[in-house]
Amino acid sequence: MPETMRAARYHGPGDSLRLEKVPIPEPGPGEALVRVRAAGVCHGDLNRLSGVVDPGVAPLTLGHEIAGEVARVGPGVSPHQPGERVIVHYCVGCGACHWCRTGQENLCDAPVEWYGLISDGGMAEYVKVAARNLVKLPAGLSFEEAAPLACSATTAIHSADLARVRPGEVALVYGFGGVGAPLVQYCRLAGARVLAVGRSPAKLQLARDLGAEAVIDASKEDVPARVRELTGGQGADAVFELVGTAESMPKAVASLRRRGRLVFLGDSRDLLTLRPIQLVILEAQFLGSRGATLDELYKAVELAAAGRIRTAVDRVVPLEDVNHVLDDLRRGNVVGRAVVRP
Ligand SMILES: [Zn+2]
Ligand SMILES: [Zn+2]
């Protein structure tokens, strides 16, 4: 086994990733070393590169959508064996706080690891992870299809469950990208009518293919007016805000039905200004959705294995091309998820 590996390393906001040779980590007690076969490129990586999200840890290997094979296990790891195909849940909570005790480690008071955010992630040949975070991959799922489940599909599941999407309701997916694709499918599975907002014909076509009943082109159409038109004047019961800009946020609010739930997932540096009465007259609810739990990754893998959530893989590229992919993602030219193969 070699001692070093290639990794795409983050060195601080405003810089692109650098391909470097770094030591292959050694798994300790309760840990496993995973040979990464596919790593998804998430919008969260762009927020990290731009500094919108900056936990202050650098240098660091990015990548929190990780699928691969167990290469080695540390002491005390019995259920997982070398060669096993796995996908990795990206965060490890402290195990002691209220949130960890209730299985909601995404809200942990003091996370111990968060791959690609505060600890080295999967844009490398190998990654060292907590063995508890490994979810076995069924044979029918390729590494490329599986990797994006780790963040994009789990985020979709978590946010739709938070919004309590119910049969017959209208869900508006505002911003059709990596999370939008599984969100359209999951809201359909929950029995909702799904409307999707996007800006490119290719993305809107994909939204339709994945089950959106109608799509709205935000570059040409008046989104709230179209939503009212499509819902008999009512608006959407659940609006998923995946863009988070000064342009999108007021339109997302204006698309809400009475008692509607607006779930924030996207982020920029923009602010949303509202008069309280806007929420009062609607009895609207605002929610934030932060990541997902290990259990939600189990759920995502089950749904994907059963063919009920399909991963839309835009392209698979070698690790060397990760900066090109990030540029394309920034420009809105990735339809679904791009995956790197280290
Ligand atoms: Zn992500
Ligand atoms: Zn905790």
Side-chain angles (χ1 to χ4, degrees):
M1 184 136 177
E3 283 175 0
T4 62
M5 63 176 184
R6 289 171 306 119
R9 304 276 285 170
Y10 161 88
H11 283 267
D15 201 355
S16 48
L17 296 183
R18 297 185 212 161
L19 213 71
E20 294 172 348
K21 284 259 180 216
V22 296
I24 295 175
E26 190 58 44
E31 292 180 327
L33 183 71
V34 173
R35 174 68 180 94
V36 182
R37 296 297 178 192
V41 183
C42 174
H43 211 276
D45 300 323
L46 289 182
N47 287 342
R48 185 60 183 276
L49 289 168
S50 68
V52 167
V53 174
D54 184 10
V57 181
L60 184 84
T61 304
L62 293 198
H64 57 274
E65 292 188 330
I66 309 164
E69 290 152 319
V70 174
R72 269 210 304 271
V73 295
V77 176
S78 57
H80 298 285
Q81 297 299 326
E84 186 179 74
R85 301 170 76 251
V86 291
I87 181 167
V88 179
H89 177 52
Y90 50 67
C91 74
V92 179
C94 70
C97 73
H98 164 76
W99 307 107
C100 287
R101 293 196 309 265
T102 52
Q104 303 172 87
E105 66 281 1
N106 59 314
L107 298 177
C108 175
D109 290 339
V112 178
E113 310 237 46
W114 202 300
Y115 307 121
L117 188 72
I118 57 170
S119 26
D120 283 332
M123 289 184 186
E125 289 174 271
Y126 294 89
V127 64
K128 184 185 74 167
V129 299
R132 177 181 178 270
N133 285 38
L134 299 178
V135 179
K136 202 171 169 174
L137 276 184
L141 274 184
S142 71
F143 293 122
E144 292 83 1
E145 288 171 299
L149 298 173
C151 173
S152 75
T154 58
T155 301
I157 290 168
H158 188 78
S159 63
D161 285 351
L162 266 183
R164 296 186 305 280
V165 174
R166 286 184 288 260
E169 287 195 329
V170 175
L172 177 68
V173 175
Y174 204 121
F176 187 83
V179 174
L183 192 50
V184 164
Q185 299 173 79
Y186 190 69
C187 288
R188 277 290 301 271
L189 291 175
R193 294 173 56 199
V194 182
L195 315 177
V197 178
R199 289 184 160 271
S200 87
K203 287 184 187 177
L204 295 174
Q205 185 55 52
L206 178 62
R208 247 189 233 105
D209 294 345
L210 295 177
E213 174 186 304
V215 295
I216 304 169
D217 185 339
S219 67
K220 294 187 187 130
E221 296 176 276
D222 178 338
V223 176
R226 268 300 276 155
V227 172
R228 304 255 161 233
E229 220 174 277
L230 291 160
T231 57
Q234 290 291 306
D237 298 283
V239 177
F240 297 90
E241 224 300 359
L242 295 148
V243 186
T245 61
E247 198 222 318
S248 66
M249 289 187 283
K251 292 180 182 172
V253 174
S255 300
L256 281 169
R257 186 183 188 183
R258 289 197 176 85
R259 290 266 168 91
R261 290 90 66 197
L262 177 53
V263 188
F264 288 94
L265 294 123
D267 189 31
S268 69
R269 291 183 193 277
D270 294 352
L271 301 178
L272 169 61
T273 309
L274 281 175
R275 280 185 58 200
I277 194 72
Q278 289 175 265
L279 301 187
V280 170
I281 57 170
L282 289 176
E283 292 199 350
Q285 296 176 35
F286 278 18
L287 305 164
S289 179
R290 173 181 170 171
T293 66
L294 174 61
D295 194 50
E296 284 159 341
L297 179 56
Y298 275 91
K299 188 170 183 177
V301 170
E302 273 174 30
L303 289 170
R308 305 186 79 188
I309 284 186
R310 174 164 77 83
T311 304
V313 179
D314 176 89
R315 72 192 87 168
V316 181
V317 300
L319 187 61
E320 289 71 16
D321 289 348
V322 65
N323 284 315
H324 296 293
V325 170
L326 286 161
D327 287 342
D328 263 1
L329 187 62
R330 194 178 290 116
R331 291 192 210 104
N333 293 338
V334 173
V335 182
R337 257 302 189 250
V339 171
V340 296
R341 194 190 277 149

